[in-house]
Amino acid sequence: QKLGVALVGLGSYSTYQLAPALQDTEHCYLAGIVTGTPAKARTWQAKYNLDPEHCYSYETYDQIAQDDAIAIVYVVLPNSMHAEFAIRAAQAGKHVICEKPMGMNVAECDAIIAACQEAGVKLGMGYRLQSEPYTQEIKKYVREKTFGAVRFVSADAAYISRGNPNQWRLDRSLSGGGALMNMGVYSIQSCIYSCGMNPLTVSAQEFSTRPEYFRDTDETITAQFTFPNGVVGQMMTSHNASANRLYGSCDSGWFELQPANNYGPLSGRTSSGSISFPHESQQKLQMDDFASHILYDTPNRAPGEMGKRDMIIVEAIYQSIKEGGREITLNLPQEYGIV
Ligand code: NAD
């Protein structure tokens, strides 16, 4: 059995990653689209053999409730639109995948989680790395203490933005923030799964070197975490640096992924040698995991609570920066959002 997926928003991620991945998925397939551009709808219908009956505009979106071919709605819009379109999908009785970051703030994450609970539908985040083998391997090292107890973790997720200064990612009203909202979730998550638990506190700093380009959003952010088991973590995220790495130092060894969070193939080393897995589309693995969660009750690898947990940390990082780097206590339950 294969579940029908409708992609909402046919920008670059849907076009170049998700739709191609949906040609190879085992438990789901591309059944429909939601787009504001009629010409795009026609191109996609021809390319992917989509029945126009399952293609919607933003105006006709809610009619998806009557469309039995669509089981999962995948929201791939600018961040400011995630909550509205995820909530309307849930109200239409569809399971929801929401791209990262989950929303603009924690209140929006709560509203999405509540709407899915009320409608009795499943909610997953577009966290492709949670289904990815190198990431699973790091989690295993931490769980099994392969290199002894972890003492220090470090994670960077950054790229240099040189494009149109008016793109939505650099407009706070559409993105909710800059590098931290875009790439920051990767650094935050890397620190968490390299240590196996949620942080207790965070302190953060912001750096700006191209204020004429990053007029409205954060350019570079560093942050330091403390964890309940005594581990110290540090992270960097930036729209003006090139970095893609995770490192964990343990009592009797270390592990590293570099790159750690791009579309792959990822690459890894440890104090005992290199690690290597065959490359598969991360998006394929992620969407199959979510469809299999719905069909066969397998674990939800990226539940809404994980998206909300990350947003709690994002808000605390912005708060710390506003208060000159003050250490903020997170009050996260130790297992909250951890899979
Ligand atoms: P994009 O700019 O390429 O596409 C955005 C889409 O939204 C376009 O089709 C655009 O027409 C549509 N749109 C509707 N209303 C809009 C508005 N008011 N302003 C701008 N666009 C509007 O963006 P993208 O890279 O596809 O990112 C979409 C979402 O996917 C974001 O939330 C992003 O964080 C997420 N994303 C996730 C990953 C990942 O690896 N998980 C990778 C890329 C993007």
Side-chain angles (χ1 to χ4, degrees), residues 1 18 65 96-97 142 213 245 283:
Q1 193 188 350
L18 298 176
V96 181
I97 308 178
V142 173
Y213 181 79
R245 179 175 180 254
Q283 291 81 4

Side-chain angles (χ1 to χ4, degrees), residues 11-13 77 79 82 99-100 128 168-169 186 263:
S12 58
Y13 196 54
L77 290 162
N79 307 343
H82 289 182
E99 253 319 319
K100 57 93 210 155
R128 56 190 162 75
W168 70 259
R169 278 193 175 80
Y186 295 111
Y263 300 150

Side-chain angles (χ1 to χ4, degrees), residues 235-254:
M235 60 156 271
M236 185 277 283
T237 187
S238 177
H239 274 164
N240 195 38
S242 201
N244 196 320
R245 179 175 180 254
L246 165 169
Y247 172 76
S249 173
C250 314
D251 275 347
S252 53
W254 51 268

